[in-house]
Amino acid sequence: MARKVLVLGEVRDGSLRNVSFEAVAAGKTASEGGEVVGVLIGDSVSALANEMIHYGADRVVTVEDEKLKQYTPDGFSQALMAVIDSESPEGLIFGHTALGKDLAPKIAAKLESGLISDVTSLEEAGGNLVFTRPIYSGKAFEKKIVTDGLLFATIRPNNIAPLEKDESRSGDVASVAAEIKDLRTIIKEIVRKASEGVDLSEAKVIIAGGRGVKSEEGFEPLKELASVLNGAVGASRGACDADYCDYSLQIGQTGKVVTPDLYIACGISGAIQHLAGMSNSKVIVAINKDPEANIFKVADYGIVGDLFEVVPLLTEEFKKLKVNA
Amino acid sequence: MNIYVLMKRTFDTEEKITISGGKINEDGAEFIINPYDEYAIEEAIQVRDANGGEVTVVSVGTEEAEKQLRTALAMGADKAVLINTEDDLEDGDQYTTAKILSEYLKDKDADLIIAGNVAIDGGSGQVGPRVAEILGISYVTTITKLDINGSSATVVRDVEGDSEVIETSLPLLVTAQQGLNEPRYPSLPGIMKAKKKPLDELELDDLDLDEDDVEAKTKTIEIYLPPKKEAGKVLEGELEDQVKELVKLLHTEAKVV
């Protein structure tokens, strides 16, 4: 059934997050030959519209207002509802990001619709659109369908491949007027703590440290390796609890759930709560002194050894690889 | 202060998951208060102790959730309410749960509602914001700090590692993130007292709801375990050679760098 699907693009520091393009790809599948309409909300976002079209959106609708400079549930839901009223979509796709997780349930409640959260793949099967999502912290998966009303899902970053960028694609960009008022939550301050550079939840490569890193300084070799691989640094709860790093780096059941292409676990024992946050990574490398460490059970490749010896050697080897490439 | 906590009974995080008859096998499994809801209960108790008032913990589920509600009472909550859907509902989704909870809460004049930001079993994180929207109150999700001052509130929200300082007012719904507090263990006197605290049980009828009113909008058609990972390759030999081999494997075999 061809349907019109709205895809919410997400803007961070003036550019579109990768998950926006993945959402367009998911929207394309969900539209089943219908129309994919990108939606951009912010104080100044229309310049980004064409990029959504290059990645597969048929056209883009923007809502711009000073009061939409920062995300608030009231402001963004007012903007999005104005778009929904004018477009009457049959499907909605957001990223399963801090913004998407916060906003999607509010929109679903307003529309009295279902919502399938944290989707890692979707496909047409037996006349239905089937959404796959992890449950029990990734220890199991469920397949879900929408039985009544709007097709509404949030997609987990890094799981659905974006469509190939085609800069020759063009489409209509229109703005929708919305009255943004009575915001009940006011952001007074934003304290940036997350690692500079690569966003952990969208990183293709993650170098994570555990208790074996031993100190704050112990993270330095991991940071060097991450920068060579253009990756991000993460941590186990043990490392965060021991104050070696900020909780914003924590990967696990509490903390972030990540699915990079390459996850290098350094000095991480592999408690079940940590595995819940990373075991769906495409390739896992474990570096640990203890050959019995649980992390080796989920690793594709393992090196039994001291991370302070292995990681710098790895950094050098990858540097050589980059030079030769 | 009239404080409500939304609580879910979940699998213990350490449990191994198996499937039988197309469902997650619950036989012999340990159940706990959803860990994020523990933060919610602790925060509610602390807010009450600082501002006065009453903490009511509400759960939608089966009578088996009584055990976790008693634990919440033993931690220090004043009342518990179980909305027992065992006889009425086969399969609900987040639409269902949110609708039931808001129907219960709509005439309770709650000043503050606290929930966990996500349940570790279903992992949707929808019910809190949905309930706030249905009740027409504002919400802040994944909070790590809450300061109540009269009818206004300052909240710190975790946004993928960054922190937002947000000002808002009551009534308010917040969802708890790790780091909000350190949940207490029930004390022995707390456990004794909990036995005498009220634990009411309601059914959909008591809320003037029919099954049709709360019928799920989505349906699970299959549950499966991820394919078991084959044992990985632990490299051998001199460390330098292992590292060289690893980089080669990642480049040519796994093709991730």
Side-chain angles (χ1 to χ4, degrees), chain B residues 20-37:
Chain B
S20 66
K23 288 200 149 89
I24 300 284
N25 186 6
E26 300 192 346
D27 293 345
E30 283 292 317
F31 282 84
I32 55 171
I33 295 174
N34 175 44
Y36 291 100
D37 301 352

Side-chain angles (χ1 to χ4, degrees), chain A residues 12 17 71 73 96-99 101-103 105-106 108-110 112-118 130 132-148 184-194 199 201 205 229 237 247-248 250 253-256 261-262 272-273 279 281-285 296-305 309-310 313-314 317-318 320-321, chain B residues 11-17 19 24 26 35-36 39 92-95 99 117-118 120-127 129-131 133-134 136-142 157-169 172 177-178 182 215-227 229-236 239-240 242-244 246-247 249-251 253-254 256-257:
Chain A
R12 191 185 168 113
R17 293 181 70 174
Y71 167 77
H96 195 67
T97 57
L99 188 157
K101 286 186 229 180
D102 194 75
L103 180 64
K106 184 177 176 80
K110 276 188 189 290
E112 296 202 25
S113 82
L115 166 62
I116 303 180
S117 306
D118 201 12
V130 179
T132 302
R133 59 186 303 274
I135 50 175
Y136 295 84
S137 314
K139 289 181 230 168
F141 285 83
E142 67 175 349
K143 290 188 184 227
K144 289 198 87 168
I145 56 169
V146 173
T147 48
D148 180 22
R184 292 171 297 180
T185 54
I186 309 292
I187 300 173
K188 286 287 166 192
E189 193 189 345
I190 298 178
V191 185
R192 295 263 178 178
K193 286 194 291 189
D199 184 340
S201 54
V205 176
L229 293 173
R237 179 172 186 168
Y247 277 103
S248 62
Q250 187 184 329
Q253 184 161 272
T254 45
K256 290 193 174 70
D261 291 343
L262 174 61
I272 195 160
Q273 289 83 354
S279 60
S281 302
K282 288 177 196 86
V283 174
I284 297 168
V285 173
F296 286 113
K297 289 189 189 142
V298 300
D300 299 278
Y301 305 106
I303 291 185
V304 178
E309 286 178 56
V310 177
L313 286 171
L314 260 182
E317 261 329 287
F318 278 121
K320 283 185 211 160
L321 184 73
Chain B
F11 252 67
D12 191 343
T13 51
E14 303 276 356
E15 286 290 333
K16 190 170 161 59
I17 303 290
I19 290 175
I24 300 284
E26 300 192 346
Y36 291 100
Y39 298 120
D93 65 1
Q94 298 79 22
Y95 169 84
K99 183 129 188 194
N117 88 74
V118 70
I120 59 163
D121 50 4
S124 289
Q126 293 182 25
V127 170
R130 274 185 184 263
V131 166
E133 176 59 30
I134 299 170
I137 66 174
S138 59
Y139 64 84
V140 183
T141 55
T142 58
R157 171 169 187 250
D158 169 52
V159 187
E160 294 173 12
D162 292 335
S163 297
E164 285 178 358
V165 182
I166 292 171
E167 287 190 357
T168 186
S169 55
L172 174 69
Q177 172 69 305
Q178 183 196 15
E182 281 291 330
E215 194 181 338
K217 304 281 186 185
T218 59
K219 189 177 159 191
T220 299
I221 53 169
E222 190 187 341
I223 291 179
Y224 64 97
L225 299 179
K229 251 192 135 148
E230 283 178 38
K233 189 174 199 170
V234 175
L235 306 177
E236 285 170 359
L239 210 50
E240 285 80 8
Q242 287 190 39
V243 167
K244 282 199 175 83
L246 176 62
V247 171
L249 286 167
L250 290 174
H251 186 57
E253 188 178 88
V256 286
V257 284

Side-chain angles (χ1 to χ4, degrees), chain B residues 15-111:
Chain B
E15 286 290 333
K16 190 170 161 59
I17 303 290
T18 56
I19 290 175
S20 66
K23 288 200 149 89
I24 300 284
N25 186 6
E26 300 192 346
D27 293 345
E30 283 292 317
F31 282 84
I32 55 171
I33 295 174
N34 175 44
Y36 291 100
D37 301 352
E38 274 189 344
Y39 298 120
I41 296 164
E42 176 63 37
E43 196 66 16
I45 294 168
Q46 290 185 17
V47 171
R48 177 204 63 197
D49 289 349
N51 299 272
E54 198 172 70
V55 174
T56 307
V57 180
V58 191
S59 193
V60 175
T62 67
E63 67 177 12
E64 285 163 324
E66 276 182 19
K67 188 179 167 202
Q68 285 70 35
L69 285 168
R70 284 281 172 218
T71 305
L73 293 171
M75 286 171 73
D78 301 287
K79 291 185 196 165
V81 175
L82 171 65
I83 304 173
N84 190 337
T85 56
E86 196 159 21
D87 298 335
D88 295 319
L89 292 181
E90 279 269 314
D91 294 301
D93 65 1
Q94 298 79 22
Y95 169 84
T96 310
T97 309
K99 183 129 188 194
I100 293 170
L101 284 168
S102 16
E103 199 61 30
Y104 167 78
L105 288 163
K106 69 176 185 191
D107 55 3
K108 298 292 186 288
D109 287 321
D111 298 298

Side-chain angles (χ1 to χ4, degrees), chain A residues 1-323:
Chain A
M1 188 189 85
R3 51 173 85 77
K4 185 198 275 189
V5 179
L6 297 189
V7 174
L8 182 65
E10 201 175 312
V11 182
R12 191 185 168 113
D13 299 333
S15 14
L16 281 163
R17 293 181 70 174
N18 245 339
V19 68
S20 310
F21 311 130
E22 298 165 2
V24 169
K28 195 92 182 164
T29 307
S31 74
E32 296 188 70
E35 196 182 22
V36 179
V37 182
V39 180
L40 289 171
I41 298 172
D43 64 334
S44 166
V45 290
S46 47
L48 303 168
N50 278 325
E51 206 178 355
M52 282 193 92
I53 293 169
H54 295 161
Y55 273 99
D58 294 302
R59 58 189 173 87
V60 171
V61 174
T62 63
V63 186
E64 294 186 309
D65 192 301
E66 268 288 282
K67 297 192 198 78
L68 299 171
K69 189 173 167 64
Q70 283 162 334
Y71 167 77
T72 58
D74 285 337
F76 270 53
S77 65
Q78 288 164 16
L80 196 68
M81 288 308 288
V83 177
I84 290 170
D85 283 345
S86 78
E87 293 284 344
S88 309
E90 288 133 329
L92 278 177
I93 308 274
F94 300 179
H96 195 67
T97 57
L99 188 157
K101 286 186 229 180
D102 194 75
L103 180 64
K106 184 177 176 80
I107 300 295
K110 276 188 189 290
L111 300 171
E112 296 202 25
S113 82
L115 166 62
I116 303 180
S117 306
D118 201 12
V119 168
T120 51
S121 73
L122 71 163
E123 56 179 359
E124 201 275 328
N128 277 311
L129 259 185
V130 179
F131 297 83
T132 302
R133 59 186 303 274
I135 50 175
Y136 295 84
S137 314
K139 289 181 230 168
F141 285 83
E142 67 175 349
K143 290 188 184 227
K144 289 198 87 168
I145 56 169
V146 173
T147 48
D148 180 22
L150 190 74
L151 208 104
F152 191 0
T154 59
I155 60 152
R156 180 183 286 198
N158 254 351
N159 280 267
I160 295 165
L163 303 171
E164 199 152 322
K165 188 176 185 178
D166 176 359
E167 295 193 17
S168 68
R169 278 178 60 93
S170 63
D172 188 44
V173 180
S175 74
V176 165
E179 197 183 352
I180 310 301
K181 55 173 190 183
D182 303 331
L183 305 184
R184 292 171 297 180
T185 54
I186 309 292
I187 300 173
K188 286 287 166 192
E189 193 189 345
I190 298 178
V191 185
R192 295 263 178 178
K193 286 194 291 189
S195 59
E196 320 80 48
V198 185
D199 184 340
L200 196 52
S201 54
E202 291 197 335
K204 296 287 178 202
V205 176
I206 292 175
I207 317 297
R211 280 195 178 276
V213 170
K214 288 186 190 148
S215 68
E216 203 179 329
E217 296 72 44
F219 266 98
E220 288 305 323
L222 277 60
K223 286 181 187 163
E224 280 169 41
L225 178 54
S227 87
V228 170
L229 293 173
N230 196 25
V233 172
S236 72
R237 179 172 186 168
C240 299
D241 282 347
D243 252 348
Y244 303 162
C245 62
D246 194 82
Y247 277 103
S248 62
L249 300 187
Q250 187 184 329
I251 291 163
Q253 184 161 272
T254 45
K256 290 193 174 70
V257 176
V258 296
T259 37
D261 291 343
L262 174 61
Y263 190 94
I264 304 185
C266 310
I268 292 177
S269 61
I272 195 160
Q273 289 83 354
H274 184 73
L275 301 187
M278 48 62 78
S279 60
N280 293 323
S281 302
K282 288 177 196 86
V283 174
I284 297 168
V285 173
I287 300 165
N288 204 300
K289 274 202 270 198
D290 175 8
E292 301 301 319
N294 209 30
I295 191 78
F296 286 113
K297 289 189 189 142
V298 300
D300 299 278
Y301 305 106
I303 291 185
V304 178
D306 183 351
L307 74 95
F308 293 109
E309 286 178 56
V310 177
V311 173
L313 286 171
L314 260 182
T315 306
E316 287 314 308
E317 261 329 287
F318 278 121
K319 271 186 191 162
K320 283 185 211 160
L321 184 73
K322 298 264 153 171
V323 171

